[in-house]
Amino acid sequence: MAVADMDRINVFMAVRRAEKPARRAALSLALPLIVFLVVAFVAPILYLLVTAVGNPETRQVLPRTLGALETWDGVSVPDEPVYAALAADLKVAKDNSTAALLGKRLNYEISGMRSRVLAAARMVERLDTGPYKQKFLELNKDWGSPESWAIIKRNGTSLTPYYLLTALDLQQAPNGSVERVQGDQAIFLDVLARTLFVAGLVTLFTLILGYPVAYVLTIAPKAIAGIMMLMVLLPLWTSLLVRTTAWVVLLQSDGVINDVLMALHLTSDRLQLIFTRAGTVIAMTHIQLPFTILPIYSVMRSIPATQLRAARSLGAPPSSAFWRIYAPQTLPGVVAGCLMTFILSLGYYITPALVGGPRDQMVSNFISVYINRDLNWGLAAALGVVLLVVTLAIYLLFLRLVGADKIKLG
Amino acid sequence: MNFSKRISPATDNPVDALVRFEDVKKSYDGINFVVKDLNLTVSRGEFLTMLGPSGSGKTTTLMMLGGFEQPTLGHILLDNRPVERLPPETRNIGFVFQNYALFPHMTVAENVAFPLRYRGITGIAARERVRQALGRVNLEALGDRRPAQLSGGQQQRVALARALVFEPSLVLMDEPLGALDKQLRERMQIEIKQLQTSLGITMVYVTHDQSEALTMSDRIAVFHDGRIQQLADPATLYNEPANRFVASFIGENNSLSCTLLAREGGLAVVRMADGTTLKAAGTNVSGTGTDMSISIRPENISLAGEGVRADLNRFIGKARDVFFLGDHMRLSIEAFGGQLVTARIPARQARHFASGADVVLECGISECRLLEV
Amino acid sequence: MWLPSYATPSERLMRTLVMAFVIAVLLFLVAPLFIIVPLSFSKDPFFTLPVKEYSLRWYADFFGNARWMNAIFNSAVAAVMTTILATTLGTLAALGISRPNFPARRLIMALLISPMIVPIVIVAVGSYLFFGQFGLTNTRTGLVLAHTALATPFVVITVTATLSTYDTNLTRAALSLGASPSSAFFRVTLPNIMPGVISGAIFAFATSFDEVVVALFMTAAEQRTLPVQMFSGIRDQINPTIMAAATLLLALSIVLFAMLALLTPRRVK
Ligand SMILES: Nc1ncnc2c1ncn2[C@@H]1O[C@H](COP(=O)(O)OP(=O)(O)O)[C@@H](O)[C@H]1O
Ligand SMILES: [Mg+2]
């Protein structure tokens, strides 16, 4: 290596060394928050990821069975030792009342498994000695099905792709190959598409409604612009729940909007607005509008007035000056505002829950249902992972195109 | 103070007039006038500069001519047609803005081609015109760059090329060199002047830099407080300022209060605060009285020589500060009862003066100008 | 309005249309907020306008009900605790990030801002599952921890914005005059960035006080907050007492907003 290069590297290293205390001091100020966020924010999300692939039930409840299955060829009906191990495991499970847990888990992949496991657990409690195989097959001939055994054996691993596959409408056949879920079981891609669609629609509407507002904000006289700004910021400040409540009231079939429509003779019958997709999109557009307006306004404000003047002095008529000179320069604001609104719209929960109908629920609402009603944490977590991945992908796009330091609060 | 005295440009030939402002007044808020009673004629082919301190209404005047602001009262005629109601894009005026207003999302070539498409020039013809325009400002090679990739001077040239490419007969420039460093500014002054003469363009140029105005202009309109204080060619402006504002704004100036005693022929006899009498030129000042001043430029004061001459004023002062500046010496003298007078003595005359030493000075009578305060 | 006199008729028409459109959008933004106010003062339990007879019965209902009162108390306690924690952590971090030699600024800023970005349900479910491991679900501590994580980005953003206009030479001057680093901070830096810190605190308070989803997952009946109480109310059977609660929340938002507006003279234009 040339001496000059060595010198340059030495200088570089010396600079790094000299700056080290200052860097450390700066970092140490941010460290408490970083640590806090890692513990109270990142760890819960990581835990969610783990829950989405975690598979503890079979391993915990059927350790002996899984051991015995190791030598099984995967195609024939297993031999007596497997059934004996199963009986021993279920006896312990009955004592620890973990059989229901196992039944619930296996039931996700083999329908009817819940009652089969519980019935078998009750049976083995009464049995003292083998041979067990015959007894199991008498209890339910499906205990002899190699497919069932294949799935049990597969679930002996500590991690499972099952929930993530389900969240994407995929499943693993007993032979291990991944295939598309058919029929009315396949709902989650629909939900994801619906979420993306609603978020896109809301983004589009906020852009159409917000762009002219941002423009007029930049050209209005100070006093009027001040009042307009207040009208944009006040909704932003009002609790999301209050705004959603307002829309619940407004959209009622005997509510104000229907009253107005009837009074104007725009409709003859009261419209169903509450619990509809349209209602959801209207309310979400209302809530997201300031998020789209503010970044556009802040970019528009930085465009010098001379840009339009220059265009016109060079011969461009007003509309051409606007579309060829002004609009392209507002693009960074449009991108920032739209990405922000799209990201936030993806995660909506309250508004679809209160204003939407059953067919308007978004990914967030399904996550909540699987946690609270079905107690299927794995699937809830997997849906969360899907939502998170989509959101973070767009957040990364936002960071690339706009930058985290450009986020402003009104 | 009252700087309102105006020399009207009665000499202009209306046939040659390209631009006329007729009693133009402008107010933004309906209360204060930022342009008061503007009458101005710009002749074809002329380089006219509006010179004045910041806030004096120069930009406003230019914007009205360009069509971006409307006169509150009065008329603006372009080629003898009133244009107040014409939108900017139909006026066919080249405009170079203060910060250039280059379109950041277009390349240099696209910027320059922009006005052509509205004049029906496209394709090869347009490309040829763009090449030519960029050639005129020595930027042929940079057509594909974005404005942000250019230096300040290069951006300035692009703005120039863009304003000239459609061959307007009138070009307006609002402090086009304000953002450049001194050296570059001086080079651009010459280039712009050359372009203007060679293309035969009529130019209305705004600046607050007096040396720029003096270098480039055929005529200069000095703006202050929304009014033209004086409209004249650079030499007249410098040598015969119409009032105290012009005298102090253009070049360095000693402004000394005095009382007018009498008139003798074309000259005025004045008494200074300490009783000294001086003679001064001042044909355009009427009346007599106490509220007068004479203005003397520092470079017109020299150390008194041998003998007394009839065409010189001679006076005595005490040296206060002496600075040697290479090619000249700056002498700060207390004279006329405590007023500070600055003199600029050529280096070959330079001598050392102790602070407080008596100094005898003289200056040409024709270079002492009587002005109303 | 705001058009030059040479504007063509089509330009004028266009401008008029844009103005009408913008006014309509601004009404769309603001009107729904205030629709709940008259309804909360109505004597009838219907949600129709105009209100026929006014009364305070729903407010009496609200303030007379132990559940609502308890919810307000819970919200206030959680919000105050969140505000203290988030403002302290966020201000410190902003001070660090604003230093010129902060390492990996973009990456860390992206992390600090991410609680604003991650869907709220994911935070809620993650907190519910993770804090459950330590017995922190259905406790106020768990709720405050989660809310603090959500609130810190606002503090970081507002304080960083204020610090960007703070002249570091002020601190240097204080040090050169003999102040210790800590007294330079408390007597010179902090007073100067106070508006940003207080704005951040107000944002943090509002974030916690208004938050529903995390609170839904992380609280049982005893810790139930005002928004959760409202949410369940709307879900079951929307009633006018909720209008009274919503009106009070709206009033609180306006008060906080006004405080913020007074703190930061807004530069429109
Ligand atoms: N758009 C405007 N609205 C209100 N006042 C203005 C506007 N533009 C300029 N002014 C005022 O008019 C006066 C003259 O300004 P300007 O023409 O820009 O002066 P100059 O270009 O000589 O510096 C100043 O006092 C300025 O504040
Ligand atoms: Mg100006």
Side-chain angles (χ1 to χ4, degrees):
Chain A
M1 206 184 292
V3 178
D5 284 349
M6 257 342 270
D7 278 356
R8 218 170 311 137
I9 289 170
N10 285 338
V11 169
F12 179 76
M13 297 307 288
V15 168
R16 301 269 311 178
R17 261 197 312 281
E19 276 188 353
K20 207 168 182 184
R23 275 209 311 275
R24 224 178 245 167
L27 189 61
S28 71
L29 282 170
L31 211 56
L33 179 56
I34 294 171
V35 170
F36 176 84
L37 284 182
V38 166
V39 171
F41 177 72
V42 177
I45 292 174
L46 290 180
Y47 191 79
L48 190 80
L49 303 187
V50 171
T51 309
V53 292
N55 199 26
E57 294 90 347
T58 314
R59 279 164 70 85
Q60 259 168 33
V61 182
L62 301 179
R64 298 177 192 81
T65 316
L66 290 170
L69 276 173
E70 253 162 43
T71 52
W72 175 54
D73 62 4
V75 283
S76 57
V77 180
D79 296 329
E80 173 64 17
V82 171
Y83 290 94
L86 178 61
D89 281 335
L90 285 178
K91 256 186 195 139
V92 177
K94 185 73 188 168
D95 293 342
N96 300 339
S97 31
T98 49
L101 217 59
L102 176 73
K104 181 170 145 231
R105 172 66 185 84
L106 291 177
N107 198 54
Y108 294 150
E109 293 184 67
I110 314 163
S111 63
M113 198 60 177
R114 193 182 154 79
S115 52
R116 259 160 70 192
V117 169
L118 288 179
R122 274 195 305 277
M123 176 187 80
V124 293
E125 206 182 13
R126 285 180 271 109
L127 293 178
D128 291 326
T129 56
Y132 293 100
K133 181 173 178 176
Q134 195 53 35
K135 294 273 180 356
F136 273 102
L137 291 178
E138 274 167 18
L139 182 67
N140 189 327
K141 66 172 173 20
D142 284 342
W143 279 118
S145 136
E147 280 88 20
S148 291
W149 282 111
I151 288 171
I152 290 172
K153 183 173 178 186
R154 191 167 75 208
N155 278 308
T157 53
S158 58
L159 300 179
T160 173
Y162 166 75
Y163 299 113
L164 286 172
L165 290 175
T166 308
L168 295 169
D169 286 344
L170 297 172
Q171 66 186 5
Q172 219 176 356
N175 66 13
S177 65
V178 172
E179 57 193 27
R180 191 150 286 286
V181 173
Q182 299 300 323
D184 56 356
Q185 295 280 307
I187 53 171
F188 298 111
L189 283 182
D190 258 12
V191 172
L192 185 63
R194 173 193 308 162
T195 305
L196 290 167
F197 175 73
V198 168
L201 213 55
V202 168
T203 306
L204 182 68
F205 286 153
T206 58
L207 179 63
I208 293 171
L209 296 184
Y211 193 89
V213 174
Y215 176 67
V216 172
L217 262 173
T218 55
I219 61 165
K222 231 180 170 124
I224 295 179
I227 294 172
M228 288 177 64
M229 200 57 175
L230 219 62
M231 294 173 85
V232 174
L233 289 177
L234 185 64
L236 191 64
W237 258 98
T238 309
S239 146
L240 182 109
L241 191 58
V242 171
R243 285 180 280 171
T244 303
T245 309
W247 282 107
V248 170
V249 171
L250 280 166
L251 296 170
Q252 299 282 327
S253 53
D254 56 355
V256 177
I257 290 183
N258 264 314
D259 286 350
V260 172
L261 292 178
M262 296 282 282
L264 295 175
H265 297 286
L266 289 175
T267 59
S268 49
D269 292 317
R270 290 189 170 271
L271 298 179
Q272 173 68 35
L273 293 170
I274 188 87
F275 309 134
T276 64
R277 178 87 42 104
T280 312
V281 171
I282 292 173
M284 285 177 65
T285 301
H286 174 250
I287 295 168
Q288 281 303 127
L289 198 45
F291 288 98
T292 309
I293 291 178
L294 290 174
I296 298 179
Y297 167 65
S298 109
V299 168
M300 282 181 172
R301 203 172 49 166
S302 68
I303 300 175
T306 51
Q307 287 284 322
L308 276 177
R309 291 181 163 182
R312 297 195 65 183
S313 85
L314 297 169
S319 62
S320 177
F322 183 86
W323 288 111
R324 296 195 55 212
I325 300 304
Y326 192 77
Q329 293 189 51
T330 61
L331 212 58
V334 170
V335 169
C338 286
L339 280 182
M340 197 58 177
T341 283
F342 191 76
I343 290 171
L344 294 178
S345 297
L346 286 177
Y348 261 61
Y349 170 72
I350 295 293
T351 310
L354 295 180
V355 180
R359 298 212 29 87
D360 310 317
Q361 302 304 304
M362 316 241 289
V363 176
S364 289
N365 305 88
F366 278 82
I367 295 174
S368 163
V369 164
Y370 281 109
I371 287 277
N372 289 323
R373 200 194 62 201
D374 295 3
L375 302 179
N376 187 345
W377 292 359
L379 186 53
L383 287 169
V385 171
V386 172
L387 180 60
L388 189 66
V389 166
V390 174
T391 306
L392 288 185
I394 297 163
Y395 182 47
L396 284 180
L397 191 67
F398 179 89
L399 290 177
R400 267 199 81 86
L401 293 179
V402 186
D405 46 353
K406 291 288 176 346
I407 299 179
K408 291 204 202 74
L409 303 166
Chain B
M1 273 200 278
N2 174 17
F3 294 132
S4 63
K5 184 145 181 56
R6 189 163 38 80
I7 307 234
S8 81
T11 52
D12 290 317
N13 176 0
V15 180
D16 258 4
L18 180 60
V19 178
R20 288 170 80 91
F21 288 88
E22 290 184 347
D23 300 317
V24 170
K25 294 181 170 63
K26 173 68 184 179
S27 171
Y28 286 107
D29 53 8
I31 302 164
N32 303 300
F33 281 89
V34 299
V35 172
K36 305 163 183 168
D37 243 338
L38 181 71
N39 283 288
L40 177 65
T41 306
V42 184
S43 312
R44 224 172 273 281
E46 178 179 30
F47 194 121
L48 183 125
T49 297
M50 299 183 184
L51 173 68
S54 174
S56 57
K58 309 179 298 287
T59 298
T60 304
T61 305
L62 212 60
M63 290 295 167
M64 289 193 285
L65 183 50
F68 303 113
E69 297 290 352
Q70 275 53 58
T72 312
L73 287 169
H75 298 284
I76 300 173
L77 290 88
L78 194 62
D79 250 339
N80 292 317
R81 280 180 311 145
V83 292
E84 300 95 72
R85 301 200 151 268
L86 279 188
E89 65 269 24
T90 61
R91 296 191 184 191
N92 205 35
I93 297 176
F95 207 129
V96 176
F97 291 85
Q98 204 158 357
N99 292 312
Y100 318 139
L102 298 181
F103 304 135
H105 59 298
M106 295 182 179
T107 63
V108 166
E110 285 167 346
N111 262 283
V112 177
F114 186 83
L116 298 178
R117 79 179 262 145
Y118 297 105
R119 289 165 173 82
I121 305 167
T122 51
I124 297 175
R127 243 172 294 151
E128 181 52 28
R129 289 279 282 271
V130 169
R131 204 185 53 75
Q132 230 174 46
L134 287 176
R136 271 205 290 267
V137 295
N138 303 321
L139 285 181
E140 302 92 329
L142 301 184
D144 294 331
R145 298 250 188 112
R146 295 274 165 136
Q149 299 166 317
L150 300 180
S151 71
Q154 292 169 331
Q155 291 183 9
Q156 215 291 319
R157 287 161 195 266
V158 176
L160 208 57
R162 191 177 70 173
L164 295 177
V165 69
F166 57 99
E167 293 169 2
S169 54
L170 176 63
V171 174
L172 314 182
M173 297 196 182
D174 189 358
E175 311 212 0
L177 308 179
L180 306 181
D181 62 51
K182 188 161 177 292
Q183 229 174 352
L184 197 53
R185 200 159 61 219
E186 283 165 2
R187 204 168 77 218
M188 288 308 297
Q189 286 169 7
I190 295 165
E191 283 186 28
I192 291 176
K193 179 70 188 176
Q194 280 171 350
L195 276 173
Q196 183 257 337
T197 350
S198 68
L199 298 174
I201 298 162
T202 310
M203 176 80 80
V204 179
Y205 190 96
V206 164
T207 182
H208 63 258
D209 178 339
Q210 41 151 323
S211 75
E212 192 166 303
L214 295 172
T215 312
M216 304 172 80
S217 320
D218 296 323
R219 287 194 303 159
I220 299 173
V222 180
F223 272 67
H224 177 63
D225 198 20
R227 285 183 205 278
I228 295 183
Q229 304 293 324
Q230 186 171 11
L231 175 64
D233 62 88
T236 309
L237 204 64
Y238 191 83
N239 296 320
E240 298 168 34
N243 59 35
R244 198 164 155 177
F245 175 79
V246 177
S248 61
F249 190 72
I250 313 264
E252 211 182 345
N253 188 54
N254 292 295
S255 190
L256 307 164
S257 57
C258 63
T259 311
L260 177 59
L261 291 180
R263 290 172 183 282
E264 290 177 4
L267 300 180
V269 180
V270 299
R271 190 177 60 222
M272 309 305 291
D274 66 339
T276 319
T277 59
L278 299 178
K279 287 183 180 166
T283 46
N284 53 346
V285 178
S286 56
T288 55
T290 47
D291 264 1
M292 300 277 177
S293 71
I294 59 168
S295 91
I296 314 172
R297 301 221 179 258
E299 69 268 27
N300 291 333
I301 302 177
S302 52
L303 297 173
E306 308 290 308
V308 179
R309 279 168 52 187
D311 60 344
L312 296 179
N313 281 317
R314 181 174 279 231
F315 59 93
I316 300 178
K318 284 193 187 316
R320 279 284 161 264
D321 297 307
V322 184
F323 299 104
F324 184 72
L325 293 164
D327 64 331
H328 72 277
M329 178 175 82
R330 280 180 76 88
L331 199 53
S332 204
I333 304 136
E334 198 180 311
F336 309 124
Q339 301 188 61
L340 270 189
V341 180
T342 305
R344 191 181 148 117
I345 313 285
R348 63 192 146 71
Q349 278 198 356
R351 269 186 275 140
H352 182 71
F353 293 99
S355 184
D358 280 343
V359 186
V360 185
L361 298 164
E362 59 188 21
C363 71
I365 288 173
S366 62
E367 289 149 1
C368 295
R369 297 199 59 84
L370 178 68
L371 299 169
E372 282 173 310
V373 175
Chain C
M1 208 175 354
W2 317 317
L3 261 188
S5 55
Y6 55 70
T8 58
S10 71
E11 239 184 303
R12 280 168 203 284
L13 178 67
M14 191 62 206
R15 186 56 61 100
T16 311
L17 289 179
V18 169
M19 287 299 157
F21 183 79
V22 166
I23 290 170
V25 174
L26 289 173
L27 284 179
F28 168 72
L29 267 171
V30 174
L33 303 184
F34 292 99
I35 213 89
I36 53 175
V37 178
L39 294 177
S40 74
F41 289 104
S42 168
K43 194 157 188 292
D44 306 312
F46 318 121
F47 301 114
T48 51
L49 288 176
V51 170
K52 293 187 188 66
E53 212 177 326
Y54 288 94
S55 89
L56 288 174
R57 63 183 280 208
W58 308 116
Y59 287 88
D61 227 34
F62 178 81
F63 286 107
N65 186 324
R67 267 213 225 141
W68 284 108
M69 288 302 100
N70 191 35
I72 284 194
F73 174 77
N74 284 330
S75 282
V77 172
V80 167
M81 285 164 61
T82 299
T83 305
I84 294 170
L85 250 172
T87 308
T88 312
L89 290 170
T91 302
L92 276 178
L95 284 166
I97 285 178
S98 300
R99 296 215 179 160
N101 31 30
F102 189 82
R105 186 195 319 263
R106 286 170 66 92
L107 183 75
I108 290 181
M109 196 64 179
L111 166 74
L112 299 188
I113 299 299
S114 58
M116 278 174 86
I117 301 301
V118 171
I120 188 74
V121 163
I122 290 178
V123 180
V125 171
S127 303
Y128 173 72
L129 297 177
F130 182 69
F131 290 143
Q133 305 294 306
F134 311 101
L136 286 174
T137 38
N138 298 341
T139 67
R140 189 168 280 144
T141 316
L143 182 65
V144 168
L145 287 179
H147 274 183
T148 301
L150 293 178
T152 49
F154 295 97
V155 182
V156 171
I157 290 173
T158 54
V159 179
T160 309
T162 313
L163 277 169
S164 72
T165 64
Y166 173 77
D167 181 1
T168 326
N169 279 341
L170 290 179
T171 312
R172 295 198 182 119
L175 294 173
S176 79
L177 296 170
S180 69
S182 75
S183 88
F185 172 74
F186 282 108
R187 298 190 49 202
V188 176
T189 311
L190 191 58
N192 275 291
I193 62 166
M194 212 50 187
V197 175
I198 295 179
S199 308
I202 294 174
F203 271 106
F205 185 90
T207 303
S208 168
F209 204 87
D210 290 343
E211 201 287 324
V212 199
V213 183
V214 172
L216 265 174
F217 280 84
M218 293 292 287
T219 58
E222 307 99 79
Q223 302 93 27
R224 203 169 235 215
T225 61
L226 187 59
V228 174
Q229 180 74 21
M230 276 178 69
F231 181 79
S232 334
I234 301 170
R235 254 218 161 148
D236 297 346
Q237 175 65 59
I238 183 159
N239 65 54
T241 310
I242 291 168
M243 293 301 112
T247 304
L248 290 170
L249 269 182
L250 177 64
L252 177 75
S253 305
I254 292 175
V255 168
L256 291 179
F257 180 55
M259 281 167 63
L260 197 80
L262 290 179
L263 272 172
T264 49
R266 185 153 290 293
R267 276 155 296 149
V268 185
K269 281 208 157 166

